[in-house]
Amino acid sequence: MELKSTLYSVANGIATITLARPARMNAWTGRMHTEYRHSLEQAEADPAVRVVVVTGEGRAFCAGADMQALEGHAAKGGYDSGTTADIPTPGFGVRPEFDQNFAYHFGLTKPVIAALNGAAAGVGLVLACYADIRFAVPGAKLTTAHGRFNMPAEYGLSWLLPRIVGLARANDLLMSSRVFLTDEAYEMGLINRLVSKEDLMTEVMAYARQLADSVAPHSMAVTKRQIYVDQHRDVGSSVAEADRLLSEMVAEPDYKESVRAWLDKRKADWRWPGK
């Protein structure tokens, strides 16, 4: 696929997806969503990729839906996603709950880190919230935005946000659609780390590299799956599944390699899902 509104690159085991419509503050379009899914699909299929980083080009992460698209919805009298039936489906097929817009992130095997280089509104905030880890610059504006446009909370954010920041804080952000800053978001636990604009990508890449170097890839994939599947089941089922996985994974070559590397005080040479 020819990328027109995003950029995709892979270096040192890290895939970087950049929203690249800086003149429009990386406003979201159907084309951008299609390209984003395509890039995620490429990253999932590439055994050399261990971590995915998502960021924006220019002064914003993603300013939300493109206003021209919103005007088009009003003119048509209905919503049009701007995507086609053959849009890529990364993360699909794991659980029915995950086979939906943005919820497909929960079906991915590789961690996604959002590097918020600037403002994130509406679907831009949704995208950030579906990432597993969030870094951000101080003082950037965030908002759920939907309330001012007579829209519902978008893409499952009413399910996800209370699980990240708690019900009381989520109610405030969702019901008011108010603007808040990344500094406040950090205090409420929505942002994992605040980093200066100059150092953002350096720190994000260092963290991504740490994940790639210090965590076995199968362990990462299984742990991510446990985290999001466990949101849909009881603690007893979680324990039983963990016990089953433990029995399976200690029989794998990467477990033996991990033990040897630890004893030898060297970097492990993990092979899952195959080299």
Side-chain angles (χ1 to χ4, degrees):
M1 171 181 285
E2 181 183 3
L3 301 182
K4 297 181 177 180
S5 58
T6 62
L7 303 172
Y8 180 75
S9 62
V10 177
N12 300 316
I14 303 167
T16 302
I17 303 173
T18 305
L19 310 182
R21 301 182 70 219
R24 301 287 295 174
M25 295 182 69
N26 303 320
W28 194 258
T29 64
R31 174 77 193 192
M32 182 178 282
H33 195 175
T34 300
E35 291 183 15
Y36 177 71
R37 285 202 192 190
H38 170 76
S39 294
L40 282 181
E41 193 170 65
Q42 299 305 300
E44 271 288 287
D46 187 349
V49 171
R50 299 286 306 282
V51 182
V52 178
V53 172
V54 182
T55 192
E57 183 179 342
R59 60 193 180 93
F61 177 71
C62 175
D66 191 281
M67 286 305 299
Q68 292 179 345
L70 294 181
E71 290 176 351
H73 302 333
K76 294 176 183 177
Y79 177 75
D80 180 0
S81 68
T83 60
T84 57
D86 61 349
I87 188 171
T89 54
F92 278 60
V94 174
R95 287 176 68 98
E97 305 96 303
F98 300 168
D99 294 353
Q100 299 291 338
N101 273 334
F102 295 97
Y104 54 74
H105 285 84
F106 296 162
L108 300 174
T109 62
K110 299 171 184 182
V112 177
I113 303 172
L116 277 69
N117 56 300
V123 67
L125 183 62
V126 170
L127 177 60
C129 286
Y130 274 102
D132 303 299
I133 304 289
R134 286 166 289 278
F135 285 58
V137 297
K141 294 181 179 179
L142 308 174
T143 176
T144 59
H146 63 275
R148 72 191 66 176
F149 296 108
N150 192 45
M151 296 168 67
E154 300 174 276
Y155 302 114
L157 199 58
S158 55
W159 180 91
L160 181 57
L161 201 53
R163 285 166 169 77
I164 299 174
V165 301
L167 184 60
R169 290 189 175 103
N171 283 348
D172 168 33
L173 302 180
L174 290 166
M175 292 182 178
S176 71
S177 286
R178 68 178 177 86
V179 174
F180 60 108
L181 301 183
T182 48
D183 307 70
E184 182 183 357
Y186 173 74
E187 293 298 325
M188 65 175 65
L190 179 57
I191 300 298
N192 294 89
R193 192 179 303 178
L194 288 176
V195 186
S196 70
K197 186 91 169 180
E198 296 75 20
D199 297 331
L200 177 65
M201 293 310 295
T202 299
E203 289 212 22
V204 167
M205 291 302 178
Y207 182 84
R209 190 66 251 161
Q210 179 185 357
L211 292 183
D213 288 344
S214 64
V215 182
H218 195 196
S219 176
M220 178 66 74
V222 167
T223 300
K224 176 166 177 169
R225 184 69 46 80
Q226 287 175 284
I227 289 168
Y228 296 115
V229 170
D230 283 354
Q231 299 297 310
H232 298 81
R233 63 184 177 191
D234 61 89
V235 65
S237 298
S238 176
V239 172
E241 177 69 359
D243 287 345
R244 184 188 69 79
L245 289 166
L246 180 62
S247 296
E248 290 182 359
M249 293 174 70
V250 295
E252 295 174 353
D254 276 0
Y255 171 74
K256 297 176 183 177
E257 168 60 12
S258 297
V259 174
R260 289 195 208 99
W262 178 266
L263 294 174
D264 295 343
K265 296 181 171 55
R266 60 172 173 82
K267 182 180 176 181
D269 183 22
W270 293 302
R271 297 286 170 166
W272 187 91
K275 291 185 179 180

